[in-house]
């Protein structure tokens, strides 16, 4: 019985330590240093024109139905907009099929998807 309790505790601790960056959030007005402390290093950093930068956090989600080898998957993105003063001005989340390497701030800029208003 004691071994099962220890095993369950260890497994629970492992799951909690592997929590997604999306489970943590940051508030508008926080310093970039606090964002990095809370979420860690972003997977990408994009230039947001003259407004500052966009920190991009991403998790790949596998939502398999068992019919294919890897199942269906998508990327869950968390964007943190930081102004030139180093303060968070906006955060947003989205799901996409493309990987973080495919994000191109120059192409997306015209679509007003990544630029803060």
């Amino acid at each position: 019985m004691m071994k099962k309790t220890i095993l369950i505790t260890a497994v629970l601790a492992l799951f909690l330590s592997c929590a997604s960056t999306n489970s943590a959030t940051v508030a508008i007005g926080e310093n970039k240093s606090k964002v990095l402390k809370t979420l860690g290093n972003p997977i990408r950093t994009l230039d947001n024109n003259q407004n500052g930068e966009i920190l991009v956090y991403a998790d790949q989600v596998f939502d398999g139905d068992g019919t294919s080898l890897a199942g269906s998957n998508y990327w869950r993105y968390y964007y943190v907009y930081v102004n030139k003063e180093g303060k968070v001005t906006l955060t947003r989340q989205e799901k996409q099929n493309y990987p973080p390497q495919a994000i191109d701030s120059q192409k997306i800029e015209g679509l007003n998807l990544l630029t803060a208003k």
Side-chain angles (χ1 to χ4, degrees):
M1 184 66 173
M2 183 65 141
K3 288 183 182 181
K4 286 184 181 180
T5 304
I6 293 172
L7 179 63
I8 291 171
T9 304
V11 170
L12 182 59
L14 177 65
F15 282 127
L16 292 176
S17 68
C18 295
S20 161
T21 57
N22 290 322
S23 64
T25 59
V26 295
I28 303 301
E30 283 186 2
N31 288 324
K32 180 181 175 183
S33 60
K34 185 168 182 187
V35 172
L36 295 175
K37 233 181 226 186
T38 303
L39 299 178
N41 290 325
I43 196 162
R44 299 264 325 258
T45 301
L46 303 173
D47 182 32
N48 193 15
N49 296 327
Q50 303 301 316
N51 299 321
E53 60 188 353
I54 305 167
L55 307 178
V56 180
Y57 295 89
D59 288 318
Q60 190 170 20
V61 178
F62 293 96
D63 192 17
D65 58 3
T67 59
S68 64
L69 183 60
S72 61
N73 63 51
Y74 61 90
W75 288 88
R76 184 174 31 229
Y77 289 99
Y78 185 50
Y79 299 98
V80 179
Y81 294 76
V82 179
N83 65 15
K84 288 188 175 197
E85 290 77 34
K87 303 280 186 181
V88 174
T89 59
L90 176 72
T91 64
R92 69 182 188 85
Q93 295 182 26
E94 72 178 18
K95 294 178 184 177
Q96 292 294 341
N97 291 326
Y98 54 81
Q101 299 83 355
I103 297 173
D104 184 349
S105 62
Q106 299 301 319
K107 290 179 182 174
I108 296 177
E109 178 183 323
L111 301 174
N112 292 324
L113 295 175
L114 287 179
T115 53
K117 294 181 175 52

